[in-house]
Amino acid sequence: MDWGMKNRLSRIIKPDTGRTVMLAIDHGYFLGPTSGLEEPGKTAEPLLPHADTLMLTRGVLRSCICPETDAPIVLRVSGGTSILGNLADEGRTVAIEDAVRLNVAGVALSIFVGSELEKQTLLGLAELVDLGGSRGIPVIAVTAVGKEMARDARYLGLACRIAAELGANIVKTYYCEDFKKVVRNCPVPIVIAGGKKVEEKEALDIAYRAVSDGAVGVDMGRNIFQSTHPVAMIQAVREVVHNNMTPDKAFDLFNTLAGEQAATGT
Ligand code: R5P
């Protein structure tokens, strides 16, 4: 692996803990306006000091994020569909040269294993691995789950393994029962998406179980930016991911920080 690839990977997965808290705010690429992301720049700003990377689209990056930011950027480079159409019909939305120009730490693309368009998305991943690899840019494969797909270890294990076999450097998937099996069968690091908003305690519990079962961290969106106290939530998630804090303690921390932040208006 060349120096640039290793350097970028170490900007995503922190070498001191081998873990990462990726903040995902890319939802608008197929959902359009998303609760909590009405003004993505304002949402991201107070969270960035606590995020290891920021995952988003080119448009939001260029128009809403200050170029002086230290946050390593993971750029979503797939899309072209919406919730009104066939989500699996994604293609690549960013030329690799532009990803280089934007100085990204990684590029992310969704695959739709089991859909009628799986071949298109899997070959798209393979092509991105070639393009990213030749520029030292890691590729994060996102195992997208259609409504008809079961979020179980059998399906997610299949999708993660295929992503790794095609050369993805990191795989993003969902937590599920028997998650250890998914991790064992995937030879590259796995991060989990947070999924739809749940109570803070439950989200912290999922993050804890995921890292205990072998994930290197989270790529979390709604459970952070839709929290009543997003900054307190990302701080609590960090403690779980980087320091193995138990969900009970992390939830106490969340409540304490939320109280302090409410009192000081931060
Ligand atoms: C979905 O494919 C998007 O990449 C989201 O960024 C991802 O689902 C993570 O966000 P959340 O934690 O809200 O599920």
PDB file of all heavy atoms in Angstrom, residues 165-193:
ATOM      1  N   GLU A 165     -14.029  -7.982  -1.301  1.00  0.00           N
ATOM      2  CA  GLU A 165     -13.411  -8.741  -2.400  1.00  0.00           C
ATOM      3  C   GLU A 165     -13.158  -7.831  -3.604  1.00  0.00           C
ATOM      4  O   GLU A 165     -12.184  -7.999  -4.341  1.00  0.00           O
ATOM      5  CB  GLU A 165     -14.327  -9.899  -2.829  1.00  0.00           C
ATOM      6  CG  GLU A 165     -14.558 -10.954  -1.756  1.00  0.00           C
ATOM      7  CD  GLU A 165     -13.530 -12.080  -1.752  1.00  0.00           C
ATOM      8  OE1 GLU A 165     -12.676 -12.131  -2.662  1.00  0.00           O
ATOM      9  OE2 GLU A 165     -13.596 -12.904  -0.820  1.00  0.00           O
ATOM     10  N   LEU A 166     -14.039  -6.864  -3.811  1.00  0.00           N
ATOM     11  CA  LEU A 166     -13.875  -5.962  -4.963  1.00  0.00           C
ATOM     12  C   LEU A 166     -12.870  -4.859  -4.676  1.00  0.00           C
ATOM     13  O   LEU A 166     -12.580  -4.049  -5.548  1.00  0.00           O
ATOM     14  CB  LEU A 166     -15.230  -5.373  -5.369  1.00  0.00           C
ATOM     15  CG  LEU A 166     -16.217  -6.392  -5.962  1.00  0.00           C
ATOM     16  CD1 LEU A 166     -17.547  -5.735  -6.296  1.00  0.00           C
ATOM     17  CD2 LEU A 166     -15.639  -7.056  -7.211  1.00  0.00           C
ATOM     18  N   GLY A 167     -12.356  -4.816  -3.459  1.00  0.00           N
ATOM     19  CA  GLY A 167     -11.247  -3.901  -3.176  1.00  0.00           C
ATOM     20  C   GLY A 167     -11.574  -2.712  -2.304  1.00  0.00           C
ATOM     21  O   GLY A 167     -10.713  -1.846  -2.116  1.00  0.00           O
ATOM     22  N   ALA A 168     -12.791  -2.642  -1.757  1.00  0.00           N
ATOM     23  CA  ALA A 168     -13.101  -1.521  -0.847  1.00  0.00           C
ATOM     24  C   ALA A 168     -12.098  -1.529   0.306  1.00  0.00           C
ATOM     25  O   ALA A 168     -11.707  -2.591   0.794  1.00  0.00           O
ATOM     26  CB  ALA A 168     -14.525  -1.664  -0.300  1.00  0.00           C
ATOM     27  N   ASN A 169     -11.687  -0.351   0.742  1.00  0.00           N
ATOM     28  CA  ASN A 169     -10.737  -0.256   1.858  1.00  0.00           C
ATOM     29  C   ASN A 169     -11.447  -0.299   3.203  1.00  0.00           C
ATOM     30  O   ASN A 169     -10.869  -0.711   4.204  1.00  0.00           O
ATOM     31  CB  ASN A 169      -9.922   1.033   1.752  1.00  0.00           C
ATOM     32  CG  ASN A 169      -9.166   1.105   0.447  1.00  0.00           C
ATOM     33  OD1 ASN A 169      -9.646   1.692  -0.517  1.00  0.00           O
ATOM     34  ND2 ASN A 169      -8.007   0.489   0.383  1.00  0.00           N
ATOM     35  N   ILE A 170     -12.674   0.195   3.222  1.00  0.00           N
ATOM     36  CA  ILE A 170     -13.511   0.199   4.432  1.00  0.00           C
ATOM     37  C   ILE A 170     -14.929  -0.131   3.962  1.00  0.00           C
ATOM     38  O   ILE A 170     -15.323   0.274   2.859  1.00  0.00           O
ATOM     39  CB  ILE A 170     -13.510   1.590   5.114  1.00  0.00           C
ATOM     40  CG1 ILE A 170     -12.093   1.977   5.568  1.00  0.00           C
ATOM     41  CG2 ILE A 170     -14.479   1.636   6.300  1.00  0.00           C
ATOM     42  CD1 ILE A 170     -11.955   3.416   6.081  1.00  0.00           C
ATOM     43  N   VAL A 171     -15.683  -0.851   4.781  1.00  0.00           N
ATOM     44  CA  VAL A 171     -17.079  -1.131   4.439  1.00  0.00           C
ATOM     45  C   VAL A 171     -17.979  -0.531   5.510  1.00  0.00           C
ATOM     46  O   VAL A 171     -17.704  -0.661   6.707  1.00  0.00           O
ATOM     47  CB  VAL A 171     -17.347  -2.650   4.324  1.00  0.00           C
ATOM     48  CG1 VAL A 171     -18.815  -2.911   4.040  1.00  0.00           C
ATOM     49  CG2 VAL A 171     -16.486  -3.274   3.233  1.00  0.00           C
ATOM     50  N   LYS A 172     -19.016   0.139   5.025  1.00  0.00           N
ATOM     51  CA  LYS A 172     -19.999   0.697   5.958  1.00  0.00           C
ATOM     52  C   LYS A 172     -21.264  -0.134   5.850  1.00  0.00           C
ATOM     53  O   LYS A 172     -21.780  -0.343   4.748  1.00  0.00           O
ATOM     54  CB  LYS A 172     -20.283   2.149   5.566  1.00  0.00           C
ATOM     55  CG  LYS A 172     -21.460   2.763   6.289  1.00  0.00           C
ATOM     56  CD  LYS A 172     -21.609   4.213   5.908  1.00  0.00           C
ATOM     57  CE  LYS A 172     -22.958   4.743   6.301  1.00  0.00           C
ATOM     58  NZ  LYS A 172     -23.113   6.155   6.029  1.00  0.00           N
ATOM     59  N   THR A 173     -21.755  -0.612   6.997  1.00  0.00           N
ATOM     60  CA  THR A 173     -22.940  -1.451   6.954  1.00  0.00           C
ATOM     61  C   THR A 173     -23.807  -1.171   8.178  1.00  0.00           C
ATOM     62  O   THR A 173     -23.628  -0.152   8.842  1.00  0.00           O
ATOM     63  CB  THR A 173     -22.544  -2.945   6.850  1.00  0.00           C
ATOM     64  OG1 THR A 173     -23.688  -3.707   6.491  1.00  0.00           O
ATOM     65  CG2 THR A 173     -21.953  -3.489   8.153  1.00  0.00           C
ATOM     66  N   TYR A 174     -24.756  -2.052   8.443  1.00  0.00           N
ATOM     67  CA  TYR A 174     -25.650  -1.878   9.594  1.00  0.00           C
ATOM     68  C   TYR A 174     -25.327  -2.907  10.662  1.00  0.00           C
ATOM     69  O   TYR A 174     -24.871  -4.019  10.348  1.00  0.00           O
ATOM     70  CB  TYR A 174     -27.111  -2.031   9.151  1.00  0.00           C
ATOM     71  CG  TYR A 174     -27.554  -0.883   8.294  1.00  0.00           C
ATOM     72  CD1 TYR A 174     -27.461  -0.956   6.913  1.00  0.00           C
ATOM     73  CD2 TYR A 174     -28.026   0.299   8.864  1.00  0.00           C
ATOM     74  CE1 TYR A 174     -27.835   0.117   6.114  1.00  0.00           C
ATOM     75  CE2 TYR A 174     -28.399   1.376   8.082  1.00  0.00           C
ATOM     76  CZ  TYR A 174     -28.303   1.273   6.718  1.00  0.00           C
ATOM     77  OH  TYR A 174     -28.665   2.338   5.939  1.00  0.00           O
ATOM     78  N   TYR A 175     -25.578  -2.537  11.909  1.00  0.00           N
ATOM     79  CA  TYR A 175     -25.425  -3.504  12.987  1.00  0.00           C
ATOM     80  C   TYR A 175     -26.578  -4.493  12.903  1.00  0.00           C
ATOM     81  O   TYR A 175     -27.692  -4.138  12.500  1.00  0.00           O
ATOM     82  CB  TYR A 175     -25.424  -2.802  14.347  1.00  0.00           C
ATOM     83  CG  TYR A 175     -25.123  -3.774  15.458  1.00  0.00           C
ATOM     84  CD1 TYR A 175     -23.839  -4.267  15.630  1.00  0.00           C
ATOM     85  CD2 TYR A 175     -26.130  -4.233  16.299  1.00  0.00           C
ATOM     86  CE1 TYR A 175     -23.549  -5.190  16.630  1.00  0.00           C
ATOM     87  CE2 TYR A 175     -25.859  -5.149  17.297  1.00  0.00           C
ATOM     88  CZ  TYR A 175     -24.569  -5.633  17.454  1.00  0.00           C
ATOM     89  OH  TYR A 175     -24.296  -6.550  18.424  1.00  0.00           O
ATOM     90  N   CYS A 176     -26.309  -5.744  13.255  1.00  0.00           N
ATOM     91  CA  CYS A 176     -27.372  -6.765  13.228  1.00  0.00           C
ATOM     92  C   CYS A 176     -27.024  -7.840  14.253  1.00  0.00           C
ATOM     93  O   CYS A 176     -25.926  -7.847  14.810  1.00  0.00           O
ATOM     94  CB  CYS A 176     -27.472  -7.383  11.831  1.00  0.00           C
ATOM     95  SG  CYS A 176     -25.960  -8.236  11.324  1.00  0.00           S
ATOM     96  N   GLU A 177     -27.972  -8.737  14.463  1.00  0.00           N
ATOM     97  CA  GLU A 177     -27.688  -9.897  15.315  1.00  0.00           C
ATOM     98  C   GLU A 177     -26.573 -10.702  14.672  1.00  0.00           C
ATOM     99  O   GLU A 177     -26.513 -10.768  13.434  1.00  0.00           O
ATOM    100  CB  GLU A 177     -28.948 -10.766  15.408  1.00  0.00           C
ATOM    101  CG  GLU A 177     -29.516 -10.827  16.802  1.00  0.00           C
ATOM    102  CD  GLU A 177     -30.743 -11.696  16.840  1.00  0.00           C
ATOM    103  OE1 GLU A 177     -30.594 -12.921  16.734  1.00  0.00           O
ATOM    104  OE2 GLU A 177     -31.835 -11.099  16.942  1.00  0.00           O
ATOM    105  N   ASP A 178     -25.734 -11.338  15.467  1.00  0.00           N
ATOM    106  CA  ASP A 178     -24.597 -12.112  14.947  1.00  0.00           C
ATOM    107  C   ASP A 178     -23.637 -11.239  14.146  1.00  0.00           C
ATOM    108  O   ASP A 178     -23.048 -11.695  13.159  1.00  0.00           O
ATOM    109  CB  ASP A 178     -25.073 -13.266  14.039  1.00  0.00           C
ATOM    110  CG  ASP A 178     -25.630 -14.415  14.841  1.00  0.00           C
ATOM    111  OD1 ASP A 178     -25.208 -14.591  15.995  1.00  0.00           O
ATOM    112  OD2 ASP A 178     -26.500 -15.119  14.296  1.00  0.00           O
ATOM    113  N   PHE A 179     -23.496 -10.004  14.570  1.00  0.00           N
ATOM    114  CA  PHE A 179     -22.635  -9.070  13.833  1.00  0.00           C
ATOM    115  C   PHE A 179     -21.181  -9.557  13.781  1.00  0.00           C
ATOM    116  O   PHE A 179     -20.469  -9.298  12.817  1.00  0.00           O
ATOM    117  CB  PHE A 179     -22.720  -7.687  14.497  1.00  0.00           C
ATOM    118  CG  PHE A 179     -22.040  -6.602  13.722  1.00  0.00           C
ATOM    119  CD1 PHE A 179     -22.527  -6.180  12.493  1.00  0.00           C
ATOM    120  CD2 PHE A 179     -20.900  -5.988  14.226  1.00  0.00           C
ATOM    121  CE1 PHE A 179     -21.882  -5.175  11.774  1.00  0.00           C
ATOM    122  CE2 PHE A 179     -20.260  -4.986  13.516  1.00  0.00           C
ATOM    123  CZ  PHE A 179     -20.754  -4.570  12.282  1.00  0.00           C
ATOM    124  N   LYS A 180     -20.764 -10.288  14.828  1.00  0.00           N
ATOM    125  CA  LYS A 180     -19.393 -10.809  14.850  1.00  0.00           C
ATOM    126  C   LYS A 180     -19.105 -11.629  13.594  1.00  0.00           C
ATOM    127  O   LYS A 180     -17.995 -11.624  13.088  1.00  0.00           O
ATOM    128  CB  LYS A 180     -19.194 -11.709  16.077  1.00  0.00           C
ATOM    129  CG  LYS A 180     -18.863 -10.949  17.331  1.00  0.00           C
ATOM    130  CD  LYS A 180     -18.566 -11.900  18.468  1.00  0.00           C
ATOM    131  CE  LYS A 180     -18.363 -11.095  19.743  1.00  0.00           C
ATOM    132  NZ  LYS A 180     -18.487 -11.886  20.937  1.00  0.00           N
ATOM    133  N   LYS A 181     -20.114 -12.344  13.131  1.00  0.00           N
ATOM    134  CA  LYS A 181     -19.955 -13.170  11.925  1.00  0.00           C
ATOM    135  C   LYS A 181     -19.680 -12.295  10.713  1.00  0.00           C
ATOM    136  O   LYS A 181     -18.865 -12.621   9.858  1.00  0.00           O
ATOM    137  CB  LYS A 181     -21.264 -13.941  11.663  1.00  0.00           C
ATOM    138  CG  LYS A 181     -21.188 -15.400  11.916  1.00  0.00           C
ATOM    139  CD  LYS A 181     -22.442 -16.065  11.357  1.00  0.00           C
ATOM    140  CE  LYS A 181     -22.821 -17.239  12.240  1.00  0.00           C
ATOM    141  NZ  LYS A 181     -24.171 -17.714  11.965  1.00  0.00           N
ATOM    142  N   VAL A 182     -20.394 -11.168  10.635  1.00  0.00           N
ATOM    143  CA  VAL A 182     -20.200 -10.233   9.523  1.00  0.00           C
ATOM    144  C   VAL A 182     -18.760  -9.727   9.539  1.00  0.00           C
ATOM    145  O   VAL A 182     -18.075  -9.690   8.524  1.00  0.00           O
ATOM    146  CB  VAL A 182     -21.194  -9.048   9.616  1.00  0.00           C
ATOM    147  CG1 VAL A 182     -20.958  -8.044   8.504  1.00  0.00           C
ATOM    148  CG2 VAL A 182     -22.631  -9.547   9.612  1.00  0.00           C
ATOM    149  N   VAL A 183     -18.288  -9.372  10.756  1.00  0.00           N
ATOM    150  CA  VAL A 183     -16.931  -8.833  10.897  1.00  0.00           C
ATOM    151  C   VAL A 183     -15.892  -9.900  10.540  1.00  0.00           C
ATOM    152  O   VAL A 183     -14.930  -9.634   9.812  1.00  0.00           O
ATOM    153  CB  VAL A 183     -16.706  -8.309  12.337  1.00  0.00           C
ATOM    154  CG1 VAL A 183     -15.260  -7.883  12.542  1.00  0.00           C
ATOM    155  CG2 VAL A 183     -17.650  -7.151  12.639  1.00  0.00           C
ATOM    156  N   ARG A 184     -16.093 -11.116  11.055  1.00  0.00           N
ATOM    157  CA  ARG A 184     -15.109 -12.181  10.830  1.00  0.00           C
ATOM    158  C   ARG A 184     -14.948 -12.486   9.341  1.00  0.00           C
ATOM    159  O   ARG A 184     -13.862 -12.792   8.865  1.00  0.00           O
ATOM    160  CB  ARG A 184     -15.535 -13.442  11.584  1.00  0.00           C
ATOM    161  CG  ARG A 184     -14.424 -14.478  11.676  1.00  0.00           C
ATOM    162  CD  ARG A 184     -14.720 -15.609  12.635  1.00  0.00           C
ATOM    163  NE  ARG A 184     -15.922 -16.337  12.288  1.00  0.00           N
ATOM    164  CZ  ARG A 184     -16.988 -16.422  13.069  1.00  0.00           C
ATOM    165  NH1 ARG A 184     -17.014 -15.815  14.223  1.00  0.00           N
ATOM    166  NH2 ARG A 184     -18.040 -17.116  12.682  1.00  0.00           N
ATOM    167  N   ASN A 185     -16.027 -12.359   8.615  1.00  0.00           N
ATOM    168  CA  ASN A 185     -15.986 -12.716   7.190  1.00  0.00           C
ATOM    169  C   ASN A 185     -15.630 -11.547   6.281  1.00  0.00           C
ATOM    170  O   ASN A 185     -15.688 -11.676   5.060  1.00  0.00           O
ATOM    171  CB  ASN A 185     -17.337 -13.297   6.768  1.00  0.00           C
ATOM    172  CG  ASN A 185     -17.471 -14.734   7.226  1.00  0.00           C
ATOM    173  OD1 ASN A 185     -16.732 -15.604   6.775  1.00  0.00           O
ATOM    174  ND2 ASN A 185     -18.378 -14.972   8.147  1.00  0.00           N
ATOM    175  N   CYS A 186     -15.275 -10.417   6.869  1.00  0.00           N
ATOM    176  CA  CYS A 186     -14.943  -9.238   6.069  1.00  0.00           C
ATOM    177  C   CYS A 186     -13.494  -8.850   6.369  1.00  0.00           C
ATOM    178  O   CYS A 186     -13.189  -8.410   7.482  1.00  0.00           O
ATOM    179  CB  CYS A 186     -15.897  -8.091   6.392  1.00  0.00           C
ATOM    180  SG  CYS A 186     -15.552  -6.630   5.415  1.00  0.00           S
ATOM    181  N   PRO A 187     -12.602  -9.001   5.394  1.00  0.00           N
ATOM    182  CA  PRO A 187     -11.179  -8.781   5.686  1.00  0.00           C
ATOM    183  C   PRO A 187     -10.752  -7.321   5.759  1.00  0.00           C
ATOM    184  O   PRO A 187      -9.569  -7.049   5.939  1.00  0.00           O
ATOM    185  CB  PRO A 187     -10.485  -9.495   4.510  1.00  0.00           C
ATOM    186  CG  PRO A 187     -11.481  -9.499   3.411  1.00  0.00           C
ATOM    187  CD  PRO A 187     -12.832  -9.514   4.041  1.00  0.00           C
ATOM    188  N   VAL A 188     -11.677  -6.387   5.629  1.00  0.00           N
ATOM    189  CA  VAL A 188     -11.320  -4.968   5.777  1.00  0.00           C
ATOM    190  C   VAL A 188     -12.159  -4.359   6.901  1.00  0.00           C
ATOM    191  O   VAL A 188     -13.190  -4.928   7.286  1.00  0.00           O
ATOM    192  CB  VAL A 188     -11.519  -4.174   4.448  1.00  0.00           C
ATOM    193  CG1 VAL A 188     -10.650  -4.750   3.339  1.00  0.00           C
ATOM    194  CG2 VAL A 188     -12.974  -4.110   4.045  1.00  0.00           C
ATOM    195  N   PRO A 189     -11.725  -3.213   7.440  1.00  0.00           N
ATOM    196  CA  PRO A 189     -12.459  -2.610   8.570  1.00  0.00           C
ATOM    197  C   PRO A 189     -13.913  -2.281   8.226  1.00  0.00           C
ATOM    198  O   PRO A 189     -14.222  -1.871   7.103  1.00  0.00           O
ATOM    199  CB  PRO A 189     -11.675  -1.324   8.850  1.00  0.00           C
ATOM    200  CG  PRO A 189     -10.334  -1.528   8.248  1.00  0.00           C
ATOM    201  CD  PRO A 189     -10.528  -2.444   7.077  1.00  0.00           C
ATOM    202  N   ILE A 190     -14.761  -2.461   9.230  1.00  0.00           N
ATOM    203  CA  ILE A 190     -16.198  -2.170   9.081  1.00  0.00           C
ATOM    204  C   ILE A 190     -16.592  -1.032  10.016  1.00  0.00           C
ATOM    205  O   ILE A 190     -16.180  -1.002  11.182  1.00  0.00           O
ATOM    206  CB  ILE A 190     -17.043  -3.416   9.428  1.00  0.00           C
ATOM    207  CG1 ILE A 190     -16.850  -4.497   8.348  1.00  0.00           C
ATOM    208  CG2 ILE A 190     -18.517  -3.072   9.580  1.00  0.00           C
ATOM    209  CD1 ILE A 190     -17.734  -5.722   8.551  1.00  0.00           C
ATOM    210  N   VAL A 191     -17.383  -0.092   9.487  1.00  0.00           N
ATOM    211  CA  VAL A 191     -18.044   0.904  10.344  1.00  0.00           C
ATOM    212  C   VAL A 191     -19.550   0.708  10.187  1.00  0.00           C
ATOM    213  O   VAL A 191     -20.008   0.212   9.158  1.00  0.00           O
ATOM    214  CB  VAL A 191     -17.671   2.367   9.969  1.00  0.00           C
ATOM    215  CG1 VAL A 191     -16.212   2.661  10.267  1.00  0.00           C
ATOM    216  CG2 VAL A 191     -18.003   2.686   8.514  1.00  0.00           C
ATOM    217  N   ILE A 192     -20.288   1.097  11.205  1.00  0.00           N
ATOM    218  CA  ILE A 192     -21.746   0.953  11.089  1.00  0.00           C
ATOM    219  C   ILE A 192     -22.417   2.318  10.931  1.00  0.00           C
ATOM    220  O   ILE A 192     -21.981   3.314  11.510  1.00  0.00           O
ATOM    221  CB  ILE A 192     -22.384   0.205  12.281  1.00  0.00           C
ATOM    222  CG1 ILE A 192     -22.137   0.945  13.610  1.00  0.00           C
ATOM    223  CG2 ILE A 192     -21.919  -1.222  12.352  1.00  0.00           C
ATOM    224  CD1 ILE A 192     -23.282   0.831  14.577  1.00  0.00           C
ATOM    225  N   ALA A 193     -23.490   2.318  10.143  1.00  0.00           N
ATOM    226  CA  ALA A 193     -24.366   3.494  10.064  1.00  0.00           C
ATOM    227  C   ALA A 193     -25.229   3.500  11.317  1.00  0.00           C
ATOM    228  O   ALA A 193     -25.478   2.450  11.921  1.00  0.00           O
ATOM    229  CB  ALA A 193     -25.256   3.404   8.832  1.00  0.00           C
TER     230      ALA A 193
END
